[in-house]
Structure formats: C-alpha cells, structure tokens
C-alpha cells in the first residue's frame, strides 16, 4: 500500500462521516497505548483507514501524523484503501504451501482476474494471501469472510468462489453460503 | 457433572467448527431435550480434543467413546443407538488403518496412546466458556493457596524446582525471568502473555486459549502476585477471533467470581487482565517489539545494548513476559509440585512439549508429548506416518526460525538442546512433515519470503540479507541458479544470523542453512542439472501425456488454461511443450484411474523428446 492510494481513495469517498470516529476517540483517547485499538476500531467502522480519520486521530492523541501513518503501514491488519464486500483469504501457511496452496491461489486469482490485495471491479471480492489461518489439519485452506473451506483443490476452490458469487447475485445478500459444502474433498474424481 | 450423568462432548476447536460442529451441538441438544434422557445427559462444548484430522469429533464420557467425522445427520444415531440403547455407533468410530477394525475408546487409539497430556489436560474435557467446569477440575485452587502466602518466594522455589523453560521457543528458564522481575525496582509492574502466535503452521497457543483460557488467566494472576504486578495484558493475534472471544468470556466470568479484579478472594491482592489485539506483525513475537506494540508504536525491537524487559519493559516498567503455554503450566506445577514436573522429560528439558502436527502426515492435530521423545515416534506412532505410500523427506520445526531435518535425524530426541544442535529449534511448537514430493529449495524460498516480508527493516543484515537470499533462491527455483550460489547463500545466511538484533533476524537464515546442510544434492540438481528432483519447481519440470494410458476423454484439454493440449475425443492427447506453463491443471484433471499425465523432472521444451 502506498500513500498515494490512501489519499486518492479518501478523496473519492467524498463526504467523510466523522461520527463513528468521534465515539471511538471518546472511548480510547485517554488510554495509554490507545493508537492501535483506535486504528482497529476505525477500520472496523469504515472498512479501511481513511486519511481524514488518521489526521483526526493524530490530532486527538497529539502525535505527529507520521507516527500514526507509520503504525498504520507497519502492521499487516491495516488497509489504506477500501476493501470489497467479501474477502477471500487464501492460507499460505507451511502445511498449506506443501499441500498445494500455490496452485489454489493461482486458480482463484486467474478466475477473479485480480491479484493478492486487489479488489474485483464490481467490489464483490478482495483476495488476501495470509500467512497462516491455523487450520493446518485441513490444508490447503481458504476463508470466504468468516467461513473456512478445507482440503481444497484448485477446482473446488474456484467452485466455492463461484457458488458464493452466484448466491450473492441471486440477492440473498448476507453472503451466507450454508448450501456450499465447506469442507470439500479435493479429488475431482468424476470423468 | 452429576454422578451417573453421561456427557456428550462436542469438540469446538477451530477445525471442528469449520466442520459445522456448532450445528452438531445444537442438533444434539435438541434431540436429547425431546427424550426421557434429558437431565441425565449433558451436551457441552469443549475446546480442541486434538484429533483434528478426524473431526468433527463427538466424545461420550465417561466411556471415552470417540465419534469421528460426525455430521448433523449422524445425531439421531448417536442419541438413539448409543445413549438410549447402549449400542456404540460403529460406523462413526475410528478404524485402525492396518487392521480395519473399529476402536471405540480414544484411549486405545494410537494417536492418543503415545501422548502425555499435562498442558492440554483440560482441553477437550471442560467447557472453556464455563468457569464452573474449570473450578470443577481444581481450577483456581493453586491461585487460592498462593494468595495465602506472604509473598511469591515459594512460587519461585517451586518454579525453580520444576526447571520449567519458557515455552515461547527460546527456552529461557522461567524462574530466572520471574525472579528478575520480582527483584526489579518499581512501584508499577506488568505481566504480559505472548499469544502472538505468528509462525505459519502453528496452532498450539490458539488451541489452549480456546480450550482452557482460565488456566492462562490463573497462571498470569499467580505471576502477578509473585512479581508484584497488578495489571496483565494478553497480546493475541486479531486473526484468532474465537480465542479472543473465549478469553473475554473467561475474563468476565473470573472478574464476577472474584478471581480477577480488586482484592482477589479477599486476599488484598488485586490483578486484572486486558486483551490486546495484535495487528499482524511477526516481529512482535520478540519481547521488546511486543511491548512497544502495546504502547501503540511500531514493533521495532530495541537496539542493543538494551535493558532487560524484566527491568524496563512495557511503558518502561518492569515486565514479566511469557508465552501462553508457560503461564498455563504454572497452576499445574504448583498443584503437583515442581519436583514432580522435573521428573518428566530429559536432563535439560523438563515436562512436555506441545506440537501442532501437520503437513504430509496421516493424523494432523494438536499433540502433547514428553520431552525426549523421538521425532520418529511422533511422526509414525502418533502421526500415523506419511500418507499415500509416499516416502518421508523432512520434518520442519520452529517455523521460519527453525530448520528442516532429514530422515537421519528421526531418532533425535525432541528437546531444546538436541534440536538446536541439529540446526533447527524447538520453537513454539509447529511441526510440519514433508514427503518426497516437497522441494527443499522451494521450502527454503517459502520461509525466506515470509521472513523478508516480516523483517522490520532496522538491521541492515536482516533487511538486505533476507532480500538477497530470497532473490537467489527464486533464481534457483526458476532454473536460473549459478555455480557459487550455494556458497554465497551460506555466506549471507551466516552474516544475517550474526548481524541482526532480534530473534527474527538471528534465525532468519536457518531454513536456508539447514536445507543446504542436509539437502545439498537438491540445490545442485537445480543449479547444475537443471532439474527439480521433487518435481515441484515449475521451471524445472515437464508434463507429458502417456499414450498407453490416455483414453482421450478431453478433460485435461478442457482444464488447460493456455490451450496447450491438442487431440480429439478418443484419441491420445499431446501437450505442446512450448505453450505449456506447467501449472499442473491437466494432472489435476486427469481421473486417477487413468493417471495418464506424467510429471517429469527436467525440461522437455528444448530436448525434443515428444510424448
């Protein structure tokens, strides 16, 4: 992520609603070590860290903006650009890596036409490659939002993403894919 | 638990939850509620039971019947057959892979048999969301008796007798840290629990937080009393939402019952714990970086010479910082005595070690073994060996700071010193088994990619050295390796390890150095012969279709993303080696009963060899 991206997206966003941030500042302002919880809260409220929010936080904590920006860019959790509505997290932990995660990633990226950290044009999906989801027993693993899909093959991973999209587009909006088998077996055996 | 009551324990570790164990629990509750058994049968959630490979698990106690791979559809059978009619549901039992016969009690399953559960003794037994369950197994008794003493000197003596070494990976004697923090001057001190489990391939700390959170809180409270701190922090990864939630429930319950907060159990001692969500930086596993992170700064390890965290730590106050497992051991050690603990394990490494066993092993899961057990016993007896008849190649411990050990080390005892001597390390507890299809150069590249990304950038050796090593490793795996690369890697690697400030940099080169030490032939095959012996590195392999096996079903041609496969239906397909990007989709697509796509080491592109 770069400075340019952050500023641009905030400008695009136009009107910045300060209300959620004000509540957060009220809660955390006087705490020792408030910066990271504040940034986490801000990201939870806005989906990312708008430039205006970081400026307000810096003012409220009497810290230089560079310090706030430094922290925001040091930690992997923080994003300076908005994320799509749904996040596909592809695990690249050791167990997943040796069980075929690179191929799974490649297929998902090819299918969605985006790379790691990017959003699809329709803002349906963001792909995030993550270090380890801690579900090594089901490697290779990915998550779509809060749901885990295990024992993936490149095919079954793409199928899960497609079915998720179909459901979303069909309009039962919540992104709940209870009909999709979460733990799919990798072998596409049928001829 | 009432007498005569039978318990249906539904595993809700993270892996079983992804297998819908929440719905299974609800269905069981509903089913039981509608019968006369209601009241004699309790359905409860438990933390990780360990046998993740076979999840979701439902355990029936006191019989210890272990049902594996349970689905919501199996609920009727379990309730009607087992609970009502006393007939074990055989199809849901674990079946011995050799004899094929079902095993009812988990005590008889080899996966559990070779384990010694001390730290995990409550995981998979008690409901982590219910403090009464923890109290029912003697929880908070150790804290109670500690608080009756005038000070923490007795706790220190027990810790010293136990010879417990810190479970974060370094293995520093725990009592020394505790004593240093106790002796440090200062009216305000802190206790910090490091639950920033960032190693790829590790889920031990997470499972303990999810399965037995009160043990960690109790250990921290005892630490607070011992060193004279009134406030504790648990630094936990934000990526572990379930662990965070269970911790918060546990803290809330402990406060309400007077085990946390002011004047604990009427002793006059006050101690409270706050959960801090780590924002995702591997380097924060290092103590000085972690404390800076809680202060709201970037997690840059402090420069040497630096004061000890026990003297100048969080907010510049004396701070006791230990791993989740270290704290969770404390109540047990105080209850059973330090000498009892010291009888388990080896001369230099006491007690047990917890591992997240994963990778190419039949039984993935969370295990606990006495120190000194051999790698062979872990991998073959508990882990059930390497699946699909493949050969073992290496076992990786210690995550990005550790190393890959080959078959000749399988009889090495697992303890801090032996693993260190072998060039790896105990680490926090990730253990990944790798089979013959794993390219060790690629594994080294994989870990370096991780470390290069996670390097905080302060030390030149770490910042530039990891980058340079990664570049060389990428070149080798792309088939662009040059003579002299290996020697250069060793030279840079040794410099990075020597010239970095913190544990991340000081061990960053270990995956490279150990793979070079034990798998030099693989590096040479890549560089000199232009082939990947494990048939894994794309630039150094080829795919071809075996004419005698291909039936012309078109599946591979359809799967090929670059239209490199030619051939009509019912005629043998041919791969255009010039077009082929070696993604392996054709191999995936070819039905296993034909297995007509062959992966070969080395390139066919220029060789002119046609399938």
């Amino acid at each position: 992520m770069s400075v340019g991206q952050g500023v641009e997206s905030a400008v695009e966003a136009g009107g910045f609603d300060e209300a959620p941030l004000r509540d957060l500042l009220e809660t955390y302002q006087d705490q020792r070590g408030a910066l990271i919880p504040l940034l986490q809260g801000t990201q939870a409220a806005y989906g990312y860290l708008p430039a205006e929010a970081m400026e307000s936080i810096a003012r409220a904590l009497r810290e230089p903006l560079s310090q706030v920006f430094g922290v925001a860019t040091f930690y992997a959790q923080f994003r300076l650009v908005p994320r799509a509505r749904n996040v596909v997290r592809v695990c690249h932990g050791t167990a997943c890596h040796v069980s075929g995660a690179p191929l799974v990633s490649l297929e998902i990226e090819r299918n969605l036409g985006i790379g790691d950290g990017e959003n699809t044009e329709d803002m349906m999906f963001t792909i995030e490659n993550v270090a380890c989801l801690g579900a090594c027993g089901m490697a290779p693993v990915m998550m779509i939002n809060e749901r885990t899909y295990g024992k993936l093959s490149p095919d079954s991973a793409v199928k899960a993403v497609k079915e998720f999209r179909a459901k979303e587009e069909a309009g039962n909006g919540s992104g709940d894919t209870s009909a999709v088998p979460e733990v799919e077996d990798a072998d596409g055996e049928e001829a | 638990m009432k007498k005569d009551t039978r318990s249906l324990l539904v595993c809700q570790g993270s892996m079983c939850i992804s297998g819908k164990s929440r719905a299974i629990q609800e269905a069981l509750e509903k089913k039981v509620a509608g019968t006369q058994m209601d009241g004699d049968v309790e359905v409860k959630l438990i933390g990780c039971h360990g046998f993740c490979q076979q999840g979701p698990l439902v355990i029936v106690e006191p019989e210890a019947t272990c049902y594996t791979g349970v689905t919501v559809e199996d609920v009727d059978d379990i309730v009607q057959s087992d609970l009502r009619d006393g007939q074990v549901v055989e199809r849901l039992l674990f079946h011995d892979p050799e004899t094929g016969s079902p095993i009812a009690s988990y005590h008889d399953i080899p996966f559990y048999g070779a384990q010694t559960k001390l730290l995990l003794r409550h995981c998979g037994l008690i409901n982590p969301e219910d403090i009464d369950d923890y109290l029912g197994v003697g929880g908070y008794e150790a804290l109670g008796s500690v608080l009756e003493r005038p000070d923490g000197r007795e706790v220190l003596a027990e810790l010293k007798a136990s010879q417990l070494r810190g479970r974060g990976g370094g293995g520093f004697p725990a009592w020394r840290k505790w004593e240093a923090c106790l002796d440090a001057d200062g009216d305000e001190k802190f206790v910090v629990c490091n639950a920033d489990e960032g190693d790829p391939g590790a889920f031990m700390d997470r499972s303990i937080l999810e399965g037995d959170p009160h043990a960690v809180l109790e250990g921290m409270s005892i630490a607070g009393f011992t060193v004279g701190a009134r406030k504790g922090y648990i630094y936990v990864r934000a990526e572990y939402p379930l662990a965070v939630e269970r911790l918060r429930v546990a803290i809330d319950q402990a406060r309400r019952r007077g085990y946390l907060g002011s004047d604990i159990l009427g002793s006059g001692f006050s101690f409270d714990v706050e959960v801090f969500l780590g924002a995702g930086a591997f380097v924060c596993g290092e103590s000085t970086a972690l404390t800076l992170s809680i202060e709201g700064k970037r997690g840059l390890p402090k420069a040497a010479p630096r004061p000890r965290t026990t003297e100048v730590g969080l907010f510049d106050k004396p701070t006791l910082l230990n791993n989740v497992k270290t704290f969770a051991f404390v109540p047990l050690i105080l209850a059973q005595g330090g000498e009892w603990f010291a009888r388990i394990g080896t001369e230099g490494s006491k007690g047990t070690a917890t591992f997240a066993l994963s990778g190419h092993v039949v039984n993935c899961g969370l295990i606990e073994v006495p120190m000194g057990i051999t790698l062979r016993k872990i991998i073959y007896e508990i882990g059930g060996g390497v699946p699909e008849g493949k050969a073992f190649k290496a076992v990786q411990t210690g995550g990005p700071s550790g190393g890959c050990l080959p078959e000749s080390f399988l009889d090495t005892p697992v303890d801090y010193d032996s693993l260190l001597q072998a060039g790896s390390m105990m680490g926090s507890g990730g253990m990944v088994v790798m089979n013959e299809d794993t390219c060790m150069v690629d594994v080294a590249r994989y870990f370096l990619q991780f470390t290069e990304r996670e390097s905080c950038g302060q030390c030149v050796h770490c910042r530039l050295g990891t980058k340079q090593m990664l570049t060389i490793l990428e070149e080798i795996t792309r088939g662009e390796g040059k003579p002299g690369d290996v020697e250069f890697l060793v030279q840079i690697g040794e410099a990075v390890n020597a010239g970095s400030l913190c544990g991340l940099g000081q061990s960053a080169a270990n995956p490279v150095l150990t793979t070079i030490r034990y798998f030099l032939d693989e590096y040479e095959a890549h560089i000199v012969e232009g082939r990947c012996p494990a048939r894994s590195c794309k630039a150094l392999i080829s795919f071809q279709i075996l004419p005698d096996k291909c039936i012309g079903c078109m599946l591979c041609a359809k799967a090929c993303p670059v239209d490199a496969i030619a051939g009509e239906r019912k005629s043998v397909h041919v791969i255009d080696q010039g077009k082929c990007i070696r993604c392996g989709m054709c191999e995936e697509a070819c039905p296993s009963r034909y297995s007509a796509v062959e992966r070969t080491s080395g390139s066919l592109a220029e060789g002119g060899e046609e399938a």
Side-chain angles (χ1 to χ4, degrees):
Chain A
M1 49 182 112
S2 73
V3 195
Q5 273 177 311
V7 172
E8 225 170 87
S9 67
V11 171
E12 271 169 36
F16 174 70
D17 175 17
E18 277 234 19
L21 182 62
R22 265 201 303 271
D23 293 344
L24 284 163
L25 285 172
E26 225 159 86
T27 314
Y28 288 108
Q29 197 161 2
D30 300 323
Q31 257 186 38
R32 270 196 295 198
L35 180 53
I36 290 176
L38 255 175
L39 292 175
Q40 286 168 332
T42 305
Q43 183 155 299
Y46 296 92
Y48 72 110
L49 298 178
E52 291 92 334
M54 286 195 280
E55 282 162 12
S56 302
I57 289 171
R59 271 195 303 275
L61 298 183
R62 295 195 177 82
E63 297 255 21
L65 180 58
S66 62
Q67 163 79 2
V68 176
F69 186 75
V71 168
T73 50
F74 184 82
Y75 294 97
Q77 188 187 6
F78 299 121
R79 297 175 56 91
L80 304 190
V81 287
R83 219 158 49 170
R85 292 189 296 284
N86 308 291
V87 184
V88 182
R89 287 191 183 81
V90 186
C91 182
H92 287 270
T94 319
C96 287
H97 180 77
V98 301
S99 308
L103 207 52
V104 169
S105 248
L106 194 74
E107 271 308 291
I108 296 174
E109 287 173 11
R110 190 145 58 197
N111 181 265
L112 292 179
I114 52 170
D116 178 23
E118 295 174 359
N119 304 327
T120 52
E121 221 162 83
D122 60 358
M123 290 302 269
M124 176 71 83
F125 292 114
T126 301
I127 296 181
E128 275 181 11
N129 288 338
V130 296
C132 189
L133 293 169
C136 316
M138 313 193 301
V141 177
M142 69 169 180
M143 289 176 87
I144 303 181
N145 300 338
E146 299 304 312
R147 286 174 177 264
T148 310
Y149 300 77
K151 297 185 179 163
L152 292 170
S153 67
D155 263 356
S156 67
V158 167
K159 203 171 123 205
V161 171
K162 278 186 179 159
E163 283 180 31
F164 187 97
R165 182 193 284 277
K167 278 222 155 298
E168 280 276 290
E169 285 169 351
N172 43 5
S174 70
D176 197 324
T177 55
S178 48
V180 182
E182 274 133 56
V183 180
E184 283 210 8
D185 256 328
D187 284 276
E189 279 287 356
E190 75 282 1
Chain B
M1 201 190 304
K2 279 190 295 179
K3 251 207 167 131
D4 305 327
T5 302
R6 297 177 78 201
S7 301
L8 279 174
L9 311 180
V10 187
C11 181
Q12 291 196 11
S14 286
M15 268 178 264
C16 284
I17 285 182
S18 8
K20 292 192 177 171
S21 65
R22 279 190 175 133
I24 294 168
Q25 184 183 344
E26 277 170 29
L28 279 170
E29 280 166 354
K30 222 183 204 167
K31 187 79 192 163
V32 169
T35 66
Q36 293 176 329
M37 289 177 272
D38 197 11
D40 300 326
V41 173
E42 62 163 358
V43 179
K44 74 174 178 189
L45 78 96
I46 51 171
C48 182
H49 202 269
F51 207 5
C52 309
Q53 186 76 42
Q54 297 285 332
L57 302 175
V58 173
I59 312 285
V60 186
E61 297 281 10
E63 292 85 350
T65 310
C66 177
Y67 289 123
T68 61
V70 179
T71 64
V72 173
E73 286 74 43
D74 298 323
V75 162
D76 284 2
D77 264 9
I78 293 175
V79 173
Q80 279 164 10
S81 177
D82 187 324
L83 292 187
R84 195 188 59 193
D85 305 336
Q87 285 288 321
V88 171
V89 187
E90 205 178 290
R91 65 181 177 87
L92 294 175
L93 295 178
F94 176 74
H95 286 70
D96 188 303
E98 273 170 38
T99 63
S101 51
I103 304 175
S105 162
Y106 60 80
H107 297 299
D108 301 327
I109 298 175
F111 173 80
Y112 291 96
Q115 297 193 47
T116 304
K117 295 211 176 187
L118 302 183
L119 196 59
L120 303 175
R121 68 198 183 284
H122 298 149
C123 285
L125 180 71
I126 64 168
N127 178 349
E129 295 180 3
D130 185 355
I131 192 171
D132 283 320
D133 251 29
Y134 183 65
L135 295 171
V137 292
Y140 289 111
E141 280 174 17
L143 175 65
S145 68
V146 164
L147 293 180
E148 286 167 11
R149 300 170 198 176
D151 57 37
R153 289 285 164 189
E154 277 180 58
V155 175
L156 268 186
E158 286 300 332
L159 260 195
K160 192 171 177 180
S162 75
Q163 300 176 51
L164 174 72
R165 293 170 70 171
R167 288 317 198 240
F172 193 73
W175 70 272
R176 285 226 184 127
K177 252 192 204 178
W178 288 44
E179 189 180 58
C181 191
L182 168 62
D183 292 342
D185 289 327
D187 47 356
E188 191 179 21
K189 295 180 184 177
F190 294 103
V191 171
V192 177
C193 174
N194 183 354
D196 190 36
E197 186 174 56
D199 305 31
F203 52 90
M204 308 75 50
D205 296 354
R206 163 195 195 145
S207 302
I208 291 165
L209 293 174
E210 288 175 1
D212 195 11
H214 285 287
V216 181
L217 297 179
E218 186 177 1
M220 289 180 72
S221 301
I222 293 170
F225 178 78
T226 307
V227 304
R230 293 160 52 93
K231 170 105 195 209
Y233 288 89
I234 301 183
Y235 189 96
V236 58
R237 287 180 80 191
E239 290 95 327
Y240 285 180
L242 183 65
V244 172
E245 188 195 316
R246 294 221 172 121
L247 264 178
R248 288 193 167 140
V249 169
I251 289 171
D252 186 49
Q253 290 179 345
R255 278 182 193 148
R256 276 191 278 130
R257 297 295 188 89
Y259 295 105
L260 273 182
S262 56
D263 191 20
I264 294 175
L265 301 174
S267 64
F269 168 67
S270 301
F271 186 77
D272 208 351
V273 171
E274 193 177 307
V275 174
F276 187 93
L277 296 187
F282 181 65
V283 71
C284 288
E286 131 82 42
S287 58
T288 58
L290 190 150
T291 51
L292 283 173
S293 181
I294 296 180
E295 291 171 19
K297 300 173 184 147
R298 286 179 295 163
L300 303 172
K302 288 182 186 165
R306 54 187 153 186
R308 289 185 191 282
T309 302
T310 46
E311 284 153 24
V312 184
L314 182 58
F315 302 116
D316 292 334
K317 307 287 184 191
T319 301
L320 174 67
L321 192 147
N322 276 135
N323 173 268
V324 171
K325 296 182 285 290
T326 313
F327 283 121
F329 260 128
V330 171
L332 177 72
I333 288 172
L334 294 182
Q336 303 279 341
E339 281 178 22
W340 166 84
F341 187 81
R343 283 200 292 273
I344 305 159
T346 65
E347 185 61 33
S349 307
K350 299 301 186 187
T352 52
T354 319
F355 288 105
L357 185 61
S358 68
H360 299 135
V361 62
V362 173
N363 303 324
C364 291
L366 176 70
I367 64 164
E368 184 173 2
V369 290
M371 293 277 189
I373 191 173
T374 62
L375 286 165
R376 187 185 301 280
K377 208 162 172 185
I378 293 180
I379 296 164
Y380 286 90
E381 207 161 303
I382 299 172
V386 182
E388 294 164 24
K390 302 264 184 182
F392 169 90
K393 184 181 269 183
V395 56
Q396 211 281 342
T397 61
S401 308
C404 296
L405 301 181
E407 193 165 10
S408 55
F409 280 83
L410 279 180
D411 294 308
T412 302
V414 171
D415 61 58
Y416 291 100
D417 311 306
S418 308
L419 288 178
L420 212 54
Q421 216 176 350
S424 185
M425 68 183 289
M426 187 80 128
S428 179
M431 184 179 282
V432 187
V433 179
M434 298 171 184
N435 70 13
E436 57 186 313
D437 295 340
T438 314
C439 171
M440 301 316 286
V441 185
D442 179 63
V443 167
R445 184 202 57 78
Y446 164 80
F447 280 116
L448 253 291
Q449 188 183 9
F450 178 85
T451 322
E452 188 259 345
R453 207 177 286 167
E454 294 293 339
S455 167
C456 80
Q458 275 192 120
C459 305
V460 178
H461 288 77
C462 179
R463 181 178 73 240
L464 300 181
T466 53
K467 174 86 190 152
Q468 198 152 15
M469 282 195 286
L470 178 61
T471 306
I472 297 172
L473 289 165
E474 281 172 348
E475 282 172 5
I476 299 177
T477 52
R478 273 204 310 265
E480 297 161 12
K482 300 175 294 291
D485 274 354
V486 170
E487 292 74 13
F488 198 28
L489 279 174
V490 172
Q491 203 184 343
I492 304 172
E494 285 171 352
V496 170
N497 281 6
S500 302
L501 263 176
C502 80
L504 186 150
Q506 284 161 6
S507 59
N510 287 357
V512 184
L513 297 176
T514 54
T515 47
I516 290 177
R517 194 193 305 177
Y518 301 125
F519 301 96
L520 183 60
D521 54 330
E522 284 198 39
Y523 280 85
E524 284 172 345
H526 282 75
I527 297 168
V528 182
E529 299 164 40
R531 59 183 192 90
C532 173
R535 297 176 298 173
S536 156
C537 294
K538 271 189 202 166
L540 302 171
I541 56 166
S542 305
F543 290 92
Q544 54 180 327
I545 295 168
L546 302 171
D548 53 327
K549 289 192 173 172
C550 177
I551 59 148
C553 71
M554 306 283 294
L555 277 180
C556 61
K558 270 185 228 154
C560 179
V562 292
D563 294 326
I565 301 179
E568 304 285 298
R569 183 166 284 280
K570 300 211 167 152
S571 71
V572 170
H573 302 323
V574 179
I575 300 175
D576 180 341
Q577 299 295 340
K579 273 190 184 174
C580 176
I581 57 167
R582 295 173 287 270
C583 66
M585 290 305 288
C586 51
E587 190 186 32
E588 282 275 337
C590 185
S592 58
R593 57 182 176 277
Y594 307 125
S595 299
V597 178
E598 189 187 49
R599 184 188 277 250
T600 49
S601 171
S603 174
L604 292 176
E606 303 118 303
E609 197 183 321
E610 276 290 326

